[in-house]
Amino acid sequence: MTDLTIRNATLLPCTPGMPVIDRGHVSVAGGVIVSAGSGPGPDAADILDAGGDIVMPGMVNPHAHLPMTLFRGLGEDVDDRLFRYVLPMERKFVTPEMVRTGTALAAWESIRAGVTAVADMYYFEAEVGRVLDTAGLRGVVGQTLADFDPPDHATMDEGFDLVEALAEEFRGHPRIVPSVAPHAPYSTDIPVLERIADWADAHPDVPVQIHLAEMASEMDWASRTHGCRPVEVVDRAGLLRNGLIAAHCLYLDEAEIARLVETGVRVAHNARSNAKAGRGIAPVEAMRATGIPVGIATDGPMSGNTLDLFSQFGPVSMFQKLLGQSRKPMPASDVIHMATIEGARVLGLDRLTGSLELGKAADVVRISLDAPRLQPVYDPFATLVFAVMPDDVRDVLVGGRWLMRDRDVLTLDRKKVLRDAGQVAARFRAEMTEIDRKAASA
């Protein structure tokens, strides 16, 4: 018998054409979707009447730094906060325990916001994978490699040892995908990128993540050091390749966009954090017009503050409208496409998740339409993009397992998550006070 049927839904399967199915259903058996479409669907052991609420695929966040929930809001109005607070505090405080604590907070936030798959880049990344596994989420977990004295490796050899261990631990895992994550061209440079390219050649099932063409200072570094632009630096190293997950991609010209298409690169777009840092607007419509998959990402919660995609939707749409000086660019249905099936494609997970189709994993979210600000609903995509908030997400399934039901997260202990995060925050506050005291007396 079917395990679960959700009935009477405003169903957004996120299949080609982005249909909207009134009074639709989705049915689940053995963790996969066995029926989705119009009508009540088959009987099941568990029947949920959605009451007209939106039922759609779980959303995909293709770029984040999950443990940095613990840095959220820290030194927001301090121009040099990265060098004054963040980097010194990362070196001092980032431990496996801190990574577990920050990731648990991030997982809880993601589930509550209907995000069912996330790509992460940080340190002690095996800890991130373990927490996401416990929480029941899908994850692409990237061990960061960098040359700026990161907290978990003093040499690149040590960093590659961590990559090897990560790949071994999560090889064949049903929900957690190991990844190697060179931080950026300027923080690794060509010799390290070449080594990563060789390693990736030998491990074709392990995706590569990187920050690329993100900042004006990065452009200056590439020009000064190599006489070219960052995309060419990565290309020279042999790392511009099919499946590369490139975050940001703000500074691209037409030739570079064409090269990304040619090599099969995928892009994680971070509209909110880009704007918050004053870095500019990525050429999203230009990239998507050429066929580059572009997903909607949150970036780290130190940069973009939240890990829900609803906070990203408005900026994603409105910035492209500003560029085009028209309401027409980036319609709402395109935004939701990017947040679901296109985001899954960025992570190479589109055969598994991102749409409600027969045989795919039952990664499903229900979004309540009870709030007055959500009525009336003329276009559910527009409602999602411009009016829905994380607290409207009511139910979340991953692989047919309830992670949240009626706003109750079932896989994490809320009190413990908040208590642990508060203890770390207390240490951070004390350290910031000491940093400021020393700066004032210098």
Side-chain angles (χ1 to χ4, degrees):
M1 190 177 186
T2 302
D3 299 328
L4 167 69
T5 292
I6 302 174
R7 290 176 170 165
N8 194 22
T10 301
L11 191 69
L12 308 183
C14 295
T15 50
M18 297 297 284
V20 176
I21 301 172
D22 292 327
R23 298 191 180 186
H25 76 276
V26 58
S27 296
V28 179
V32 301
I33 296 169
V34 294
S35 181
S38 59
D43 287 336
D46 185 3
I47 294 177
L48 175 62
D49 187 330
D53 287 345
I54 291 172
V55 174
M56 61 183 287
M59 287 170 278
V60 179
N61 180 359
H63 178 68
H65 311 291
L66 297 176
M68 296 195 81
T69 51
L70 300 173
F71 289 87
R72 182 182 359 234
L74 183 153
E76 284 285 6
D77 300 321
V78 179
D79 274 344
D80 64 343
R81 70 168 179 166
L82 179 64
F83 296 99
R84 182 183 182 94
Y85 299 127
V86 177
L87 290 179
M89 290 170 65
E90 277 192 323
R91 295 182 188 113
K92 183 171 182 177
F93 291 111
V94 173
T95 63
E97 178 187 12
M98 175 266 178
V99 167
R100 287 193 297 272
T101 297
T103 304
L105 181 59
W108 180 45
E109 180 182 353
S110 297
I111 293 168
R112 295 263 296 188
V115 172
T116 57
V118 60
D120 185 67
M121 293 174 63
Y122 206 61
Y123 311 110
F124 301 107
E125 197 67 18
E127 301 292 347
V128 175
R130 293 166 194 155
V131 173
L132 293 181
D133 185 23
T134 298
L137 290 165
R138 298 193 190 280
V140 176
V141 291
Q143 173 61 48
T144 294
L145 299 176
D147 64 5
F148 47 64
D149 192 22
D152 64 351
H153 59 280
T155 68
M156 282 298 166
D157 286 344
E158 291 179 4
F160 273 91
D161 287 344
L162 291 171
V163 172
E164 291 278 5
L166 183 74
E168 180 60 30
E169 178 170 349
F170 293 104
R171 181 176 291 115
H173 192 285
R175 285 180 289 102
I176 308 301
V177 179
S179 169
V180 57
H183 175 264
Y186 61 85
S187 53
T188 49
D189 215 338
I190 287 179
V192 174
L193 294 176
E194 288 176 336
R195 182 175 175 182
I196 292 167
D198 290 341
W199 190 92
D201 287 342
H203 301 80
D205 57 335
V206 178
V208 182
Q209 305 179 60
I210 191 171
H211 297 98
L212 182 60
E214 177 186 4
M215 300 179 291
S217 59
E218 177 187 351
M219 307 302 289
D220 293 341
W221 167 85
S223 177
R224 184 178 65 256
T225 307
H226 296 289
C228 64
R229 291 159 62 92
V231 169
E232 186 172 341
V233 171
V234 177
D235 204 3
R236 289 180 186 178
L239 203 55
L240 213 62
R241 61 181 55 215
N242 186 46
L244 176 67
I245 303 163
H248 298 285
C249 293
L250 277 164
Y251 299 96
L252 298 179
D253 59 27
E254 289 185 6
E256 288 167 336
I257 290 174
R259 183 62 180 150
L260 296 190
V261 175
E262 182 181 3
T263 54
V265 173
R266 301 142 187 203
V267 173
H269 174 46
N270 303 267
R272 181 180 166 117
S273 73
N274 292 341
K276 191 162 168 274
R279 288 177 179 152
I281 300 173
V284 174
E285 291 236 304
M287 288 189 284
R288 295 183 75 237
T290 64
I292 296 173
V294 181
I296 296 173
T298 63
D299 206 354
M302 187 195 78
S303 302
N305 295 78
T306 76
L307 292 168
D308 71 279
L309 294 193
F310 299 109
S311 299
Q312 314 299 321
F313 290 163
V316 167
S317 180
M318 289 186 281
F319 293 169
Q320 299 304 307
K321 294 178 191 304
L322 284 170
L323 284 180
Q325 297 185 321
S326 166
R327 286 181 173 270
K328 291 183 178 180
M330 195 55 69
S333 60
D334 281 16
V335 176
I336 301 306
H337 189 277
M338 293 168 66
T340 54
I341 186 61
E342 195 166 340
R345 188 179 168 200
V346 170
L347 299 187
L349 300 177
D350 48 310
R351 292 185 179 181
L352 182 67
T353 191
S355 60
L356 304 182
E357 298 182 78
L358 268 61
K360 282 196 171 183
D363 298 353
V364 185
V365 301
R366 174 190 175 191
I367 297 169
S368 171
L369 296 174
D370 285 347
R373 65 185 142 73
L374 303 181
Q375 296 295 329
V377 179
Y378 297 110
D379 174 0
F381 296 114
T383 299
L384 284 168
V385 171
F386 297 113
V388 168
M389 296 181 180
D391 282 351
D392 299 313
V393 178
R394 186 164 176 179
D395 300 305
V396 177
L397 287 161
V398 172
R401 176 191 181 193
W402 292 106
L403 304 193
M404 181 170 76
R405 193 154 192 183
D406 201 19
R407 296 293 295 162
D408 182 19
V409 175
L410 304 175
T411 56
L412 294 165
D413 182 338
R414 176 181 180 273
K415 290 183 179 180
K416 183 179 187 307
V417 167
L418 292 179
R419 182 180 67 248
D420 292 349
Q423 290 172 350
V424 174
R427 295 199 295 270
F428 282 12
R429 289 190 188 96
E431 183 69 13
M432 291 173 67
T433 299
E434 181 64 14
I435 289 171
D436 289 345
R437 186 193 65 78
K438 290 180 177 177
S441 62

